[in-house]
Amino acid sequence: MKLKYAFFIFLLLTIIAFWMMRRHQFQFEAATGLKFNVMEFELPGSPEKLNELIETWGEPEQKAFVLKQLQLDYFFIGTLFPTIFILCLWARKNFQVLELKNHSPDRFRFLKNFLLVLGTFQVFALIFDISENVRLTQWIQQGSLGNMALFEIMVKLKFFFAIVGFLGGFGLIIYAQSKVRKV
């Protein structure tokens, strides 16, 4: 399958997953009047704030909602990070095509390697996000915070890897496409 088609299929799945999460959230908020902000769980700022948040969301209905959001998040992250990974590979492939058309092997070696690194970052981002969800699920189920070592660092790295991967892949695919059109 061509990378372009794989990208758009995964992008569509990512949008569907995001829509499912938002729909679940809107239904919960409409039924309870409560507001949910996932960023409060992901980047609480301190163990005390996260523990307080876990206690606040400890009622059975609220706990069930948050746990369902985490379950839906597995579908979302299972599509988001592969989408960015494929975008980086697609951009990389465009530079390989450019090199072939221009008969200049390794002309874009740095950019190809950079895109490979950005793509690899998505594997780490996925692992970090899974780790985050597992830990949050455990803490919410037990009703209190456990070991928070490296938690926020992994969350911040996950966001950094995803943003840099998307912007780098998207920007470089546009650049490569502009070069292909000139050839």
Side-chain angles (χ1 to χ4, degrees):
M1 176 188 301
K2 288 189 171 189
L3 290 170
K4 176 170 60 172
Y5 299 127
F7 170 76
F8 285 111
I9 289 169
F10 271 87
L11 180 61
L12 177 62
L13 291 172
T14 302
I15 292 167
I16 290 169
F18 182 75
W19 175 81
M20 289 170 56
M21 291 176 67
R22 295 299 289 179
R23 182 172 180 261
H24 182 248
Q25 178 182 343
F26 290 142
Q27 288 174 337
F28 175 79
E29 289 176 347
T32 64
L34 297 171
K35 294 293 181 199
F36 176 74
N37 181 355
V38 70
M39 294 304 289
E40 290 177 348
F41 280 96
E42 291 183 328
L43 295 169
S46 71
E48 294 78 26
K49 284 185 182 178
L50 183 54
N51 205 35
E52 181 180 309
L53 190 61
I54 289 170
E55 288 174 11
T56 301
W57 286 85
E59 296 296 319
E61 184 181 6
Q62 296 168 347
K63 185 185 281 191
F65 162 75
V66 175
L67 292 173
K68 177 69 175 183
Q69 281 294 96
L70 288 169
Q71 289 173 351
L72 291 171
D73 191 43
Y74 284 111
F75 177 44
F76 177 69
I77 65 177
T79 58
L80 174 67
F81 298 116
T83 300
I84 299 169
F85 177 79
I86 292 167
L87 177 66
C88 292
L89 293 184
W90 180 21
R92 187 175 193 274
K93 179 72 175 170
N94 282 332
F95 284 110
Q96 290 171 331
V97 168
L98 266 175
E99 288 175 341
L100 287 173
K101 284 185 176 183
N102 291 324
H103 306 289
S104 56
D106 293 332
R107 178 178 175 198
F108 298 105
R109 176 185 283 180
F110 174 79
L111 291 176
K112 291 187 309 182
N113 290 337
F114 179 67
L115 285 162
L116 199 55
V117 168
L118 292 181
T120 303
F121 279 172
Q122 303 320 302
V123 175
F124 290 108
L126 178 62
I127 292 167
F128 292 167
D129 211 342
I130 290 170
S131 173
E132 169 196 335
N133 284 1
V134 167
R135 291 168 86 179
L136 282 172
T137 299
Q138 290 172 342
W139 297 337
I140 291 165
Q141 287 175 336
Q142 69 191 24
S144 65
L145 185 62
N147 182 359
M148 201 169 157
L150 300 177
F151 180 77
E152 282 200 38
I153 291 171
M154 287 192 315
V155 172
K156 289 175 183 175
L157 282 173
K158 165 195 78 170
F159 283 120
F160 175 75
F161 291 162
I163 291 167
V164 170
F166 177 76
L167 293 177
F170 188 71
L172 288 172
I173 205 162
I174 290 171
Y175 176 75
Q177 287 296 318
S178 71
K179 293 283 190 191
V180 167
R181 290 190 180 112
K182 289 180 182 179
V183 173

